[in-house]
Amino acid sequence: MGRKHIKPGKVRLTEVAALAGVSPITVSRFFRNPDTVSPGRRLRIESAAKDLGYVPNLAARALASQRTEVIGVLIPSLTNNVFSDVLRGIYDAFEGSRYSIQLANTRYSVLQEERLLRLFLMQKPAGMIVTGVDQTAEGRAIVQAADCPVVQIMELGPDPIDMMIGFSHVDACFAAISHLLAQGCRRIGFLGARMDPRVQRRLQGYQNAMKIAGLFDPRLIVTTAVPTSTTMGGSLFSDLMLRAPDVDAVFCANDDLALGVLFECQRRHIAVPEQIAIVGFNDMEFMASAVPSLTSVRTNRYEMGLRAATMIMDEIEGRPVTERVVDLGFQVMERQSSQQRHAVAPAADRVSGTKW
Amino acid sequence: MGRKHIKPGKVRLTEVAALAGVSPITVSRFFRNPDTVSPGRRLRIESAAKDLGYVPNLAARALASQRTEVIGVLIPSLTNNVFSDVLRGIYDAFEGSRYSIQLANTRYSVLQEERLLRLFLMQKPAGMIVTGVDQTAEGRAIVQAADCPVVQIMELGPDPIDMMIGFSHVDACFAAISHLLAQGCRRIGFLGARMDPRVQRRLQGYQNAMKIAGLFDPRLIVTTAVPTSTTMGGSLFSDLMLRAPDVDAVFCANDDLALGVLFECQRRHIAVPEQIAIVGFNDMEFMASAVPSLTSVRTNRYEMGLRAATMIMDEIEGRPVTERVVDLGFQVMERQSSQQRHAVAPAADRVSGTKW
DNA sequence: AGCGATATTGACAGCGCTATCACGTGGTTG
DNA sequence: CAACCACGTGATAGCGCTGTCAATATCGCT
């Protein structure tokens, strides 16, 4: 036998329908698309629902309609505040819409990512946002099986799963190094932490630029698998000073590292930028107000999240998305910390890069 | 008439059961509690499920069982990295469990919070984590209607909804100001941004301490409704310097502000801590590596998230939660930026506070 | 008035899973 | 040896909602 007694206080569509004097299906329609119900009934249903304190049952809705309004979002880290900006954009875009977000973090592990994708699949999501382009073949297969709009964010690459929005980390770093070279720096160090795929690509951009300039020297590269932090910036810089005491500039793959380098320079009484120039990556808010203000590569993270979400919604709701791969570009925010040797400080930020 | 043809590729419990030669209900049992199925069938079901690529339908499960494994989490902001630490704790605790997290941000609005709670209710969550103690009466009612374990985090207060974990912001700030007073500071400024309930309580702690010391002066308080940022720290400090040029210490309700004050001091060639002492709040990672290292009030955010999640799980799974209101305390991390006048720098951090 | 076109409404069946109870088996007990 | 229990398994009947299509009401037009 099946269930027995229905809990007395329970309010279903049926109860609302009974009170409003209409059929359940009409109440259902009212909640999904009020315009298709005649004004008279509309009012009756509305007040009946309010009186009874009706709350729709999402599970029943999902089961009957064979779809959900859940958007799965997969990011590598909650700690790295790069992603909090992206997330903010995503949440802002879905704000007020009927979609809800299911967020999970992969901890920079493709196996975790695979597991989480499988988990998302059980929800039959309406859309998915995933970070980067380095999914496993299995991971791609799972995403494809979900049969919903998918946006890959943070990077660009060949062969998108569906849609894509990001920028070239290789180019962005190349531009930053080019800026330092233009400022007269020759012994430019590279500091990187965590070394996830995006940092790896920044390293690639660094190597390209240095090799083209004929200035490449592996001793100038100091990296660690440990996550980025200000303290780590200080230690990586200390390592660099041991390996290459003649370094005249430091590119940091993250702004936290750059801040740590600045502090370490203050501790060692190294003048910035006179003795050592500093460039960071991401252009976090504090970079502009540091003393000296710190040069960084601005990436449009909030917009990335916002547009990724918008692309998903457009796709779901049948509005054709023509630009399926979006390059958001970047800007090198040139500040005091990378001032040309013996030059005067600029009155305001100078900018170079793409898309501005 | 109802639906017509079943999609051919669709794999349901029934298909797995047919292939394994058992009844659907046995397959259902296998997925929920493998131990209750005999080893022979267990293997057959397992391989059948794998062969067919079976993916359980969560909506059907939720509808039939009348419950979900969704934990609703409500935080005020995604940008404020205070919450990313809490979140990390929450995600870590639920990692590998069968629960999934539904995260939403209220943007510091109780009306938003109410709307989101209503939304959560539709999901019939298994548990809820909400921020702070300032829910509206309506909001509390909604949470109670969800009839599931609830933990309020970040603060302590009378009359918890269900469970509670946090610390006293009043006491924490009081301790920080007491520290400054002990260091010989007399004209201690208060800088606050956003002015959410928790910052308001820190302000209260500041006022209590200053009044007891007979040093209270409203001109020393500078606040703004704008969100916290490093740049904002600089401007608030500039305002303070205009209002009270004789200020000898600054308490910042957030670490970002403290960093901004440090930079502004560097810009104005004000010696820290000799001319002005600086104390922040939250003890973000960068505080310890700044030059001079910045005193701050450490709050146990990661642990808060972790334990809140654990309390929820314990409650759901019938393990009695005896400590239903947990005070996590705080620590004043005494660093160079609040060194006693004309004293030598300490070799390492000194700590004062509760629970350490 | 009569016609088809359009807007509203309802009946029915079923989405994929699980709660509940019933039943069989084999072992233990008095 | 009947009575009992624990265990594994299955049959049945929904969980609360919506897709589908048919039925009815309403309207504009010739």
Side-chain angles (χ1 to χ4, degrees), chain A residues 1 3 23 26 29 38 41 63-64:
Chain A
M1 243 156 289
R3 322 308 203 258
S23 73
T26 304
R29 266 196 277 266
S38 62
R41 285 164 208 252
L63 179 57

PDB file of all heavy atoms in Angstrom, chain A residues 1 3 23 26 29 38 41 63-64, chain C residues 8-11 15-16 18-20:
ATOM      1  N   MET A   1       0.834  -1.213   0.000  1.00  0.00           N
ATOM      2  CA  MET A   1       0.000   0.000   0.000  1.00  0.00           C
ATOM      3  C   MET A   1       0.866   1.259   0.000  1.00  0.00           C
ATOM      4  O   MET A   1       2.003   1.222   0.426  1.00  0.00           O
ATOM      5  CB  MET A   1      -0.867   0.006   1.251  1.00  0.00           C
ATOM      6  CG  MET A   1      -2.334  -0.053   0.949  1.00  0.00           C
ATOM      7  SD  MET A   1      -3.204  -0.717   2.350  1.00  0.00           S
ATOM      8  CE  MET A   1      -2.703  -2.442   2.290  1.00  0.00           C
ATOM      9  N   ARG A   3       1.102   5.653   0.695  1.00  0.00           N
ATOM     10  CA  ARG A   3       0.987   6.502   1.881  1.00  0.00           C
ATOM     11  C   ARG A   3      -0.429   6.446   2.458  1.00  0.00           C
ATOM     12  O   ARG A   3      -1.386   6.181   1.763  1.00  0.00           O
ATOM     13  CB  ARG A   3       1.264   7.962   1.568  1.00  0.00           C
ATOM     14  CG  ARG A   3       2.351   8.239   0.582  1.00  0.00           C
ATOM     15  CD  ARG A   3       3.628   7.561   0.907  1.00  0.00           C
ATOM     16  NE  ARG A   3       4.742   8.247   0.288  1.00  0.00           N
ATOM     17  CZ  ARG A   3       5.313   7.794  -0.806  1.00  0.00           C
ATOM     18  NH1 ARG A   3       4.872   6.722  -1.401  1.00  0.00           N
ATOM     19  NH2 ARG A   3       6.359   8.410  -1.301  1.00  0.00           N
ATOM     20  N   SER A  23     -10.126  24.832 -11.315  1.00  0.00           N
ATOM     21  CA  SER A  23      -9.445  23.536 -11.357  1.00  0.00           C
ATOM     22  C   SER A  23      -7.958  23.717 -11.038  1.00  0.00           C
ATOM     23  O   SER A  23      -7.400  24.789 -11.253  1.00  0.00           O
ATOM     24  CB  SER A  23      -9.593  22.916 -12.738  1.00  0.00           C
ATOM     25  OG  SER A  23      -8.779  23.609 -13.643  1.00  0.00           O
ATOM     26  N   THR A  26      -5.606  25.240 -13.575  1.00  0.00           N
ATOM     27  CA  THR A  26      -5.685  26.685 -13.766  1.00  0.00           C
ATOM     28  C   THR A  26      -4.787  27.410 -12.760  1.00  0.00           C
ATOM     29  O   THR A  26      -4.135  28.397 -13.096  1.00  0.00           O
ATOM     30  CB  THR A  26      -7.143  27.167 -13.611  1.00  0.00           C
ATOM     31  OG1 THR A  26      -7.960  26.448 -14.530  1.00  0.00           O
ATOM     32  CG2 THR A  26      -7.268  28.642 -13.890  1.00  0.00           C
ATOM     33  N   ARG A  29      -1.354  27.102 -13.984  1.00  0.00           N
ATOM     34  CA  ARG A  29      -1.107  28.074 -15.041  1.00  0.00           C
ATOM     35  C   ARG A  29      -0.902  29.470 -14.466  1.00  0.00           C
ATOM     36  O   ARG A  29      -0.037  30.212 -14.908  1.00  0.00           O
ATOM     37  CB  ARG A  29      -2.288  28.083 -16.007  1.00  0.00           C
ATOM     38  CG  ARG A  29      -2.066  27.176 -17.192  1.00  0.00           C
ATOM     39  CD  ARG A  29      -3.031  27.487 -18.291  1.00  0.00           C
ATOM     40  NE  ARG A  29      -4.309  26.827 -18.051  1.00  0.00           N
ATOM     41  CZ  ARG A  29      -4.621  25.642 -18.547  1.00  0.00           C
ATOM     42  NH1 ARG A  29      -3.768  24.979 -19.279  1.00  0.00           N
ATOM     43  NH2 ARG A  29      -5.798  25.118 -18.294  1.00  0.00           N
ATOM     44  N   SER A  38      -7.895  34.372 -16.843  1.00  0.00           N
ATOM     45  CA  SER A  38      -8.770  35.548 -16.896  1.00  0.00           C
ATOM     46  C   SER A  38      -8.660  36.351 -15.593  1.00  0.00           C
ATOM     47  O   SER A  38      -8.468  35.774 -14.519  1.00  0.00           O
ATOM     48  CB  SER A  38     -10.211  35.126 -17.114  1.00  0.00           C
ATOM     49  OG  SER A  38     -10.653  34.333 -16.035  1.00  0.00           O
ATOM     50  N   ARG A  41     -10.555  35.187 -12.260  1.00  0.00           N
ATOM     51  CA  ARG A  41      -9.959  34.034 -11.581  1.00  0.00           C
ATOM     52  C   ARG A  41      -8.589  34.378 -11.002  1.00  0.00           C
ATOM     53  O   ARG A  41      -8.206  33.893  -9.946  1.00  0.00           O
ATOM     54  CB  ARG A  41      -9.782  32.884 -12.576  1.00  0.00           C
ATOM     55  CG  ARG A  41     -11.096  32.219 -12.890  1.00  0.00           C
ATOM     56  CD  ARG A  41     -10.968  31.377 -14.136  1.00  0.00           C
ATOM     57  NE  ARG A  41     -12.276  31.304 -14.772  1.00  0.00           N
ATOM     58  CZ  ARG A  41     -13.015  30.211 -14.776  1.00  0.00           C
ATOM     59  NH1 ARG A  41     -12.577  29.117 -14.207  1.00  0.00           N
ATOM     60  NH2 ARG A  41     -14.171  30.218 -15.351  1.00  0.00           N
ATOM     61  N   LEU A  63       9.727  17.416 -11.428  1.00  0.00           N
ATOM     62  CA  LEU A  63       9.449  16.052 -11.891  1.00  0.00           C
ATOM     63  C   LEU A  63       8.421  16.059 -13.021  1.00  0.00           C
ATOM     64  O   LEU A  63       8.589  15.403 -14.042  1.00  0.00           O
ATOM     65  CB  LEU A  63       8.917  15.204 -10.735  1.00  0.00           C
ATOM     66  CG  LEU A  63       8.566  13.757 -11.075  1.00  0.00           C
ATOM     67  CD1 LEU A  63       9.764  13.037 -11.667  1.00  0.00           C
ATOM     68  CD2 LEU A  63       8.058  13.028  -9.836  1.00  0.00           C
ATOM     69  N   ALA A  64       7.384  16.847 -12.840  1.00  0.00           N
ATOM     70  CA  ALA A  64       6.326  16.869 -13.841  1.00  0.00           C
ATOM     71  C   ALA A  64       6.762  17.553 -15.133  1.00  0.00           C
ATOM     72  O   ALA A  64       6.401  17.129 -16.221  1.00  0.00           O
ATOM     73  CB  ALA A  64       5.097  17.566 -13.275  1.00  0.00           C
TER      74      ALA A  64
ATOM     75  P    DT C   8      -7.748  35.449 -22.366  1.00  0.00           P
ATOM     76  OP1  DT C   8      -8.008  36.802 -21.924  1.00  0.00           O
ATOM     77  OP2  DT C   8      -6.368  34.935 -22.419  1.00  0.00           O
ATOM     78  O5'  DT C   8      -8.619  34.502 -21.458  1.00  0.00           O
ATOM     79  C5'  DT C   8      -8.731  33.206 -21.877  1.00  0.00           C
ATOM     80  C4'  DT C   8      -9.833  32.494 -21.143  1.00  0.00           C
ATOM     81  O4'  DT C   8     -10.244  31.429 -22.008  1.00  0.00           O
ATOM     82  C3'  DT C   8      -9.346  31.878 -19.849  1.00  0.00           C
ATOM     83  O3'  DT C   8     -10.411  31.884 -18.909  1.00  0.00           O
ATOM     84  C2'  DT C   8      -8.935  30.481 -20.299  1.00  0.00           C
ATOM     85  C1'  DT C   8      -9.915  30.178 -21.432  1.00  0.00           C
ATOM     86  N1   DT C   8      -9.382  29.312 -22.528  1.00  0.00           N
ATOM     87  C2   DT C   8     -10.063  28.155 -22.832  1.00  0.00           C
ATOM     88  O2   DT C   8     -11.074  27.811 -22.261  1.00  0.00           O
ATOM     89  N3   DT C   8      -9.514  27.405 -23.845  1.00  0.00           N
ATOM     90  C4   DT C   8      -8.371  27.697 -24.569  1.00  0.00           C
ATOM     91  O4   DT C   8      -7.982  26.942 -25.450  1.00  0.00           O
ATOM     92  C5   DT C   8      -7.700  28.931 -24.205  1.00  0.00           C
ATOM     93  C7   DT C   8      -6.460  29.343 -24.927  1.00  0.00           C
ATOM     94  C6   DT C   8      -8.230  29.666 -23.206  1.00  0.00           C
ATOM     95  P    DT C   9     -10.112  31.407 -17.407  1.00  0.00           P
ATOM     96  OP1  DT C   9     -11.170  31.999 -16.557  1.00  0.00           O
ATOM     97  OP2  DT C   9      -8.702  31.633 -17.090  1.00  0.00           O
ATOM     98  O5'  DT C   9     -10.377  29.856 -17.505  1.00  0.00           O
ATOM     99  C5'  DT C   9     -11.717  29.370 -17.630  1.00  0.00           C
ATOM    100  C4'  DT C   9     -11.705  27.885 -17.891  1.00  0.00           C
ATOM    101  O4'  DT C   9     -10.946  27.600 -19.071  1.00  0.00           O
ATOM    102  C3'  DT C   9     -11.070  27.037 -16.801  1.00  0.00           C
ATOM    103  O3'  DT C   9     -12.107  26.486 -16.012  1.00  0.00           O
ATOM    104  C2'  DT C   9     -10.283  25.961 -17.562  1.00  0.00           C
ATOM    105  C1'  DT C   9     -10.619  26.235 -19.012  1.00  0.00           C
ATOM    106  N1   DT C   9      -9.521  25.986 -19.985  1.00  0.00           N
ATOM    107  C2   DT C   9      -9.610  24.894 -20.825  1.00  0.00           C
ATOM    108  O2   DT C   9     -10.524  24.107 -20.828  1.00  0.00           O
ATOM    109  N3   DT C   9      -8.539  24.751 -21.701  1.00  0.00           N
ATOM    110  C4   DT C   9      -7.443  25.588 -21.804  1.00  0.00           C
ATOM    111  O4   DT C   9      -6.558  25.367 -22.618  1.00  0.00           O
ATOM    112  C5   DT C   9      -7.424  26.710 -20.892  1.00  0.00           C
ATOM    113  C7   DT C   9      -6.288  27.664 -20.914  1.00  0.00           C
ATOM    114  C6   DT C   9      -8.443  26.854 -20.022  1.00  0.00           C
ATOM    115  P    DG C  10     -11.737  25.631 -14.710  1.00  0.00           P
ATOM    116  OP1  DG C  10     -12.881  25.695 -13.792  1.00  0.00           O
ATOM    117  OP2  DG C  10     -10.383  25.986 -14.240  1.00  0.00           O
ATOM    118  O5'  DG C  10     -11.695  24.167 -15.345  1.00  0.00           O
ATOM    119  C5'  DG C  10     -12.833  23.693 -16.056  1.00  0.00           C
ATOM    120  C4'  DG C  10     -12.541  22.336 -16.643  1.00  0.00           C
ATOM    121  O4'  DG C  10     -11.572  22.463 -17.713  1.00  0.00           O
ATOM    122  C3'  DG C  10     -11.954  21.330 -15.657  1.00  0.00           C
ATOM    123  O3'  DG C  10     -12.732  20.139 -15.710  1.00  0.00           O
ATOM    124  C2'  DG C  10     -10.529  21.078 -16.147  1.00  0.00           C
ATOM    125  C1'  DG C  10     -10.632  21.417 -17.627  1.00  0.00           C
ATOM    126  N9   DG C  10      -9.390  21.910 -18.210  1.00  0.00           N
ATOM    127  C8   DG C  10      -8.673  23.003 -17.804  1.00  0.00           C
ATOM    128  N7   DG C  10      -7.607  23.223 -18.543  1.00  0.00           N
ATOM    129  C5   DG C  10      -7.628  22.200 -19.481  1.00  0.00           C
ATOM    130  C6   DG C  10      -6.722  21.925 -20.533  1.00  0.00           C
ATOM    131  O6   DG C  10      -5.711  22.534 -20.858  1.00  0.00           O
ATOM    132  N1   DG C  10      -7.114  20.795 -21.259  1.00  0.00           N
ATOM    133  C2   DG C  10      -8.221  20.039 -20.989  1.00  0.00           C
ATOM    134  N2   DG C  10      -8.423  18.994 -21.787  1.00  0.00           N
ATOM    135  N3   DG C  10      -9.081  20.296 -20.013  1.00  0.00           N
ATOM    136  C4   DG C  10      -8.718  21.388 -19.292  1.00  0.00           C
ATOM    137  P    DA C  11     -12.610  19.052 -14.607  1.00  0.00           P
ATOM    138  OP1  DA C  11     -13.966  18.850 -14.054  1.00  0.00           O
ATOM    139  OP2  DA C  11     -11.497  19.365 -13.701  1.00  0.00           O
ATOM    140  O5'  DA C  11     -12.211  17.777 -15.480  1.00  0.00           O
ATOM    141  C5'  DA C  11     -12.698  17.642 -16.814  1.00  0.00           C
ATOM    142  C4'  DA C  11     -12.155  16.370 -17.453  1.00  0.00           C
ATOM    143  O4'  DA C  11     -10.954  16.680 -18.203  1.00  0.00           O
ATOM    144  C3'  DA C  11     -11.764  15.270 -16.474  1.00  0.00           C
ATOM    145  O3'  DA C  11     -12.029  14.012 -17.073  1.00  0.00           O
ATOM    146  C2'  DA C  11     -10.267  15.503 -16.264  1.00  0.00           C
ATOM    147  C1'  DA C  11      -9.817  16.068 -17.616  1.00  0.00           C
ATOM    148  N9   DA C  11      -8.776  17.093 -17.522  1.00  0.00           N
ATOM    149  C8   DA C  11      -8.702  18.099 -16.598  1.00  0.00           C
ATOM    150  N7   DA C  11      -7.666  18.906 -16.768  1.00  0.00           N
ATOM    151  C5   DA C  11      -7.028  18.383 -17.890  1.00  0.00           C
ATOM    152  C6   DA C  11      -5.872  18.789 -18.580  1.00  0.00           C
ATOM    153  N6   DA C  11      -5.137  19.842 -18.254  1.00  0.00           N
ATOM    154  N1   DA C  11      -5.507  18.058 -19.651  1.00  0.00           N
ATOM    155  C2   DA C  11      -6.257  16.997 -19.994  1.00  0.00           C
ATOM    156  N3   DA C  11      -7.370  16.528 -19.422  1.00  0.00           N
ATOM    157  C4   DA C  11      -7.696  17.274 -18.360  1.00  0.00           C
ATOM    158  P    DC C  15       5.433   8.162 -17.102  1.00  0.00           P
ATOM    159  OP1  DC C  15       5.652   7.762 -18.496  1.00  0.00           O
ATOM    160  OP2  DC C  15       5.342   7.144 -16.032  1.00  0.00           O
ATOM    161  O5'  DC C  15       6.573   9.190 -16.673  1.00  0.00           O
ATOM    162  C5'  DC C  15       6.754  10.404 -17.387  1.00  0.00           C
ATOM    163  C4'  DC C  15       7.400  11.407 -16.449  1.00  0.00           C
ATOM    164  O4'  DC C  15       6.377  12.026 -15.655  1.00  0.00           O
ATOM    165  C3'  DC C  15       8.372  10.768 -15.473  1.00  0.00           C
ATOM    166  O3'  DC C  15       9.691  10.943 -15.985  1.00  0.00           O
ATOM    167  C2'  DC C  15       8.189  11.567 -14.181  1.00  0.00           C
ATOM    168  C1'  DC C  15       6.854  12.303 -14.358  1.00  0.00           C
ATOM    169  N1   DC C  15       5.741  11.916 -13.432  1.00  0.00           N
ATOM    170  C2   DC C  15       5.152  12.883 -12.609  1.00  0.00           C
ATOM    171  O2   DC C  15       5.570  14.031 -12.640  1.00  0.00           O
ATOM    172  N3   DC C  15       4.128  12.510 -11.799  1.00  0.00           N
ATOM    173  C4   DC C  15       3.696  11.245 -11.792  1.00  0.00           C
ATOM    174  N4   DC C  15       2.681  10.942 -10.982  1.00  0.00           N
ATOM    175  C5   DC C  15       4.293  10.251 -12.627  1.00  0.00           C
ATOM    176  C6   DC C  15       5.302  10.625 -13.418  1.00  0.00           C
ATOM    177  P    DG C  16      10.546   9.624 -16.397  1.00  0.00           P
ATOM    178  OP1  DG C  16      11.617  10.112 -17.267  1.00  0.00           O
ATOM    179  OP2  DG C  16       9.657   8.526 -16.842  1.00  0.00           O
ATOM    180  O5'  DG C  16      11.177   9.173 -15.012  1.00  0.00           O
ATOM    181  C5'  DG C  16      12.003  10.072 -14.310  1.00  0.00           C
ATOM    182  C4'  DG C  16      12.037   9.666 -12.860  1.00  0.00           C
ATOM    183  O4'  DG C  16      10.698   9.704 -12.323  1.00  0.00           O
ATOM    184  C3'  DG C  16      12.554   8.249 -12.600  1.00  0.00           C
ATOM    185  O3'  DG C  16      13.637   8.356 -11.701  1.00  0.00           O
ATOM    186  C2'  DG C  16      11.360   7.508 -12.005  1.00  0.00           C
ATOM    187  C1'  DG C  16      10.559   8.643 -11.413  1.00  0.00           C
ATOM    188  N9   DG C  16       9.135   8.391 -11.309  1.00  0.00           N
ATOM    189  C8   DG C  16       8.326   7.709 -12.186  1.00  0.00           C
ATOM    190  N7   DG C  16       7.074   7.671 -11.813  1.00  0.00           N
ATOM    191  C5   DG C  16       7.050   8.356 -10.614  1.00  0.00           C
ATOM    192  C6   DG C  16       5.966   8.627  -9.740  1.00  0.00           C
ATOM    193  O6   DG C  16       4.782   8.313  -9.865  1.00  0.00           O
ATOM    194  N1   DG C  16       6.371   9.364  -8.627  1.00  0.00           N
ATOM    195  C2   DG C  16       7.673   9.774  -8.399  1.00  0.00           C
ATOM    196  N2   DG C  16       7.879  10.469  -7.283  1.00  0.00           N
ATOM    197  N3   DG C  16       8.686   9.518  -9.200  1.00  0.00           N
ATOM    198  C4   DG C  16       8.307   8.815 -10.286  1.00  0.00           C
ATOM    199  P    DT C  18      14.452   6.711  -4.327  1.00  0.00           P
ATOM    200  OP1  DT C  18      15.545   7.379  -3.617  1.00  0.00           O
ATOM    201  OP2  DT C  18      14.618   5.361  -4.880  1.00  0.00           O
ATOM    202  O5'  DT C  18      13.157   6.699  -3.403  1.00  0.00           O
ATOM    203  C5'  DT C  18      12.766   7.891  -2.748  1.00  0.00           C
ATOM    204  C4'  DT C  18      11.527   7.639  -1.929  1.00  0.00           C
ATOM    205  O4'  DT C  18      10.472   7.116  -2.772  1.00  0.00           O
ATOM    206  C3'  DT C  18      11.692   6.624  -0.802  1.00  0.00           C
ATOM    207  O3'  DT C  18      10.920   7.104   0.285  1.00  0.00           O
ATOM    208  C2'  DT C  18      11.102   5.359  -1.381  1.00  0.00           C
ATOM    209  C1'  DT C  18       9.948   5.936  -2.202  1.00  0.00           C
ATOM    210  N1   DT C  18       9.431   5.103  -3.310  1.00  0.00           N
ATOM    211  C2   DT C  18       8.089   4.877  -3.414  1.00  0.00           C
ATOM    212  O2   DT C  18       7.279   5.318  -2.628  1.00  0.00           O
ATOM    213  N3   DT C  18       7.705   4.099  -4.485  1.00  0.00           N
ATOM    214  C4   DT C  18       8.529   3.543  -5.449  1.00  0.00           C
ATOM    215  O4   DT C  18       8.063   2.859  -6.360  1.00  0.00           O
ATOM    216  C5   DT C  18       9.928   3.816  -5.284  1.00  0.00           C
ATOM    217  C7   DT C  18      10.902   3.259  -6.276  1.00  0.00           C
ATOM    218  C6   DT C  18      10.318   4.570  -4.246  1.00  0.00           C
ATOM    219  P    DA C  19      11.318   6.737   1.762  1.00  0.00           P
ATOM    220  OP1  DA C  19      11.938   7.926   2.359  1.00  0.00           O
ATOM    221  OP2  DA C  19      12.020   5.443   1.775  1.00  0.00           O
ATOM    222  O5'  DA C  19       9.889   6.521   2.440  1.00  0.00           O
ATOM    223  C5'  DA C  19       8.921   7.548   2.379  1.00  0.00           C
ATOM    224  C4'  DA C  19       7.578   7.027   2.841  1.00  0.00           C
ATOM    225  O4'  DA C  19       6.994   6.202   1.800  1.00  0.00           O
ATOM    226  C3'  DA C  19       7.613   6.162   4.093  1.00  0.00           C
ATOM    227  O3'  DA C  19       6.451   6.438   4.874  1.00  0.00           O
ATOM    228  C2'  DA C  19       7.603   4.734   3.548  1.00  0.00           C
ATOM    229  C1'  DA C  19       6.825   4.872   2.241  1.00  0.00           C
ATOM    230  N9   DA C  19       7.323   4.018   1.164  1.00  0.00           N
ATOM    231  C8   DA C  19       8.624   3.816   0.785  1.00  0.00           C
ATOM    232  N7   DA C  19       8.772   3.020  -0.240  1.00  0.00           N
ATOM    233  C5   DA C  19       7.479   2.673  -0.579  1.00  0.00           C
ATOM    234  C6   DA C  19       6.955   1.846  -1.582  1.00  0.00           C
ATOM    235  N6   DA C  19       7.703   1.206  -2.477  1.00  0.00           N
ATOM    236  N1   DA C  19       5.613   1.703  -1.646  1.00  0.00           N
ATOM    237  C2   DA C  19       4.863   2.352  -0.759  1.00  0.00           C
ATOM    238  N3   DA C  19       5.238   3.155   0.231  1.00  0.00           N
ATOM    239  C4   DA C  19       6.575   3.279   0.272  1.00  0.00           C
ATOM    240  P    DT C  20       6.261   5.813   6.277  1.00  0.00           P
ATOM    241  OP1  DT C  20       5.416   6.750   7.031  1.00  0.00           O
ATOM    242  OP2  DT C  20       7.559   5.366   6.803  1.00  0.00           O
ATOM    243  O5'  DT C  20       5.411   4.519   5.930  1.00  0.00           O
ATOM    244  C5'  DT C  20       4.182   4.654   5.223  1.00  0.00           C
ATOM    245  C4'  DT C  20       3.675   3.306   4.819  1.00  0.00           C
ATOM    246  O4'  DT C  20       4.456   2.804   3.726  1.00  0.00           O
ATOM    247  C3'  DT C  20       3.762   2.228   5.910  1.00  0.00           C
ATOM    248  O3'  DT C  20       2.441   1.920   6.329  1.00  0.00           O
ATOM    249  C2'  DT C  20       4.451   1.045   5.240  1.00  0.00           C
ATOM    250  C1'  DT C  20       4.360   1.400   3.765  1.00  0.00           C
ATOM    251  N1   DT C  20       5.458   0.860   2.905  1.00  0.00           N
ATOM    252  C2   DT C  20       5.132   0.106   1.799  1.00  0.00           C
ATOM    253  O2   DT C  20       3.996  -0.152   1.486  1.00  0.00           O
ATOM    254  N3   DT C  20       6.209  -0.336   1.065  1.00  0.00           N
ATOM    255  C4   DT C  20       7.553  -0.100   1.335  1.00  0.00           C
ATOM    256  O4   DT C  20       8.420  -0.548   0.608  1.00  0.00           O
ATOM    257  C5   DT C  20       7.813   0.696   2.503  1.00  0.00           C
ATOM    258  C7   DT C  20       9.227   0.984   2.869  1.00  0.00           C
ATOM    259  C6   DT C  20       6.773   1.138   3.235  1.00  0.00           C
TER     260       DT C  20
END
